[in-house]
Amino acid sequence: MPTPVRVLEWNGASIWVFADAPSACCAAADRIVQVIQSGVNNRGKAVLGLATGATPIPIYERLVAQHRAGELSFADVTTYNLDEYYPISPADPRSYHAYMHRQLFGHVDIAPNRAHVFDSTVPEAFAAEHVAQYDRWIAADGGLDLQVLGIGRNGHIGFNEPEELPVEEALRLPSRLVDLHPVTRADASRDFGAEPQVIPRALTLGVAPILSACSILVLAFGTQKAEIVARSVRGPMTALVPASLLQSVPRRVTWMVDEAAAQALGTGRG
Ligand code: PGA
């Protein structure tokens, strides 16, 4: 496993700073493999919460390479993706179904009925029932061994967007249908061609089920994430910075960041 250049601690969370994003992704992939192997050894299966976006792509490449080399099997792995645009067809190349198929599911031996992504073809009147059921499936699987997260420039985790809400209420947010924040829509325009074409709503795993994971791995790379990483790990816990809510489960959270994303963190311990 690549070793971090330094490890910081802020509000009880560990922040592993790597020289660059590829090293951090290698370490993150190695952590996922450890979780898979120990889950499979200890309870016969591993349950992972997976993220999409640009950040985790090299992680999936490494997992696929290890599978191809005969070193890693997903036969006893169950996955739950964090979010999906709503509504969208799984056949739409911009969907997270399609992303996961391209990056991981299409290349490994995971059982199709264990690779879960929200179904964004459900009628809107049944969306709440579908996401509640998704939360129950996770619980019935014994919960997530590991949740992998990226972070939006606005601090979102999954599509839990910044909002004016008391912290206690934000911590209880269940999986649900949400409106995307303007910063999220702007960033998603790279996949949709232009901002007006971005599907403005999504189904997301809620804050509460994310925080229930046994361990949480957050990845952030590049200077454009530096300020929000610092606000998330050092700043006050607030629903206006959803990733700051991870401070409520500090010992379970590891951040893996590159030097650029760590630049506003300083060198001290908080
Ligand atoms: P990105 O997205 O990996 O494409 O930067 C992260 C996120 O929005 O969670």
Side-chain angles (χ1 to χ4, degrees), residues 158-233:
F159 280 133
N160 293 283
E161 301 285 25
E163 57 182 315
E164 298 268 1
L165 207 60
V167 165
E168 317 76 65
E169 276 179 48
L171 293 173
R172 287 197 299 267
L173 282 172
S175 300
R176 66 207 184 284
L177 178 61
V178 294
D179 292 321
L180 298 185
H181 186 269
V183 171
T184 302
R185 291 207 301 269
D187 286 351
S189 64
R190 92 186 151 207
D191 295 326
F192 285 84
E195 203 175 318
Q197 266 119 54
V198 175
I199 295 172
R201 292 192 298 168
L203 301 175
T204 186
L205 207 65
V207 173
I210 290 173
L211 295 178
S212 300
C214 290
S215 58
I216 300 174
L217 182 55
V218 199
L219 299 144
F221 307 136
T223 49
Q224 72 283 5
K225 299 281 174 76
E227 189 203 326
I228 200 66
V229 167
R231 288 174 65 201
S232 300
V233 303

Side-chain angles (χ1 to χ4, degrees), residues 4-5 26 34 40 50 61 70 73 85 90 94 131 144 156 193 197 208 218 226 236 245 250:
V5 179
C26 279
Q34 277 172 4
V40 170
L50 297 180
E61 285 170 356
S73 171
Y85 295 102
R94 303 163 307 178
V131 295
L144 300 169
H156 76 193
Q197 266 119 54
V218 199
L245 300 169

